[in-house]
Amino acid sequence: MAGLGITGLALPSSAQAAAAPRIYSCAEWGARPPADPLVTLNHPANRILVHHIADANSTDYSQAHAFQVARDEQADHIDNNGWSDTGQHFTISRGGYDLEGRHGSLAALRSGNTMIRGAHCPGQNTTRSVLRTRAPT
């Protein structure tokens, strides 16, 4: 993860390339644009919070299903919660696919200098953290 810019989780430089997960961007999974402008915070993330999506489990572990769950979750967060975008920064699908949740989160994480303010975890959205969600897809 050090190769992605998270401090405190340093890996030897030879392990960085192998340890960096493939994270699918919002564009790759077909995210809608944010309903409102998102806030970029001028500090890096320094920890990861793990959260879950409260949906029924599925035995479909495919990438297509992971992308559909991400689109459904984003629609729920925008249309029902009134948030600007998906609340969490990243999602890990039940099939093991890592997806960017909130637009700009992947670029901010990789820069190591900024983060996008989340909406999913009250009290933690402006602190130096990255929120990851385990999706029961």
Side-chain angles (χ1 to χ4, degrees):
M1 299 293 269
L4 292 177
I6 298 176
T7 60
L9 298 174
L11 296 173
S13 56
S14 62
Q16 286 182 10
R22 168 68 163 101
I23 303 174
Y24 294 90
S25 70
C26 289
E28 290 175 299
W29 59 260
R32 293 166 34 185
D36 303 299
L38 301 176
V39 175
T40 300
L41 301 171
N42 291 319
H43 58 74
N46 68 358
R47 61 186 160 137
I48 296 172
L49 301 175
V50 179
H51 197 76
H52 65 89
I53 296 173
D55 289 338
N57 285 333
S58 171
T59 57
D60 185 345
Y61 303 125
S62 70
Q63 181 187 70
H65 187 67
F67 286 10
Q68 184 60 55
V69 169
R71 289 189 296 271
D72 293 346
E73 188 70 9
Q74 184 193 37
D76 180 54
H77 287 181
I78 293 173
D79 300 335
N80 296 324
N81 292 358
W83 297 342
S84 299
D85 197 359
T86 300
Q88 70 274 4
H89 296 104
F90 300 96
T91 300
I92 306 168
S93 78
R94 189 171 184 93
Y97 295 98
D98 293 337
L99 293 84
E100 178 180 36
R102 190 160 267 239
H103 283 80
S105 295
L106 184 56
L109 178 65
R110 288 184 171 152
S111 80
N113 298 315
T114 62
M115 66 177 277
I116 304 300
R117 185 173 68 197
H120 202 273
C121 191
Q124 297 297 315
N125 292 313
T126 59
T127 61
R128 298 170 184 255
S129 64
V130 174
L131 180 64
R132 292 176 68 96
T133 299
R134 165 80 58 194
T137 59

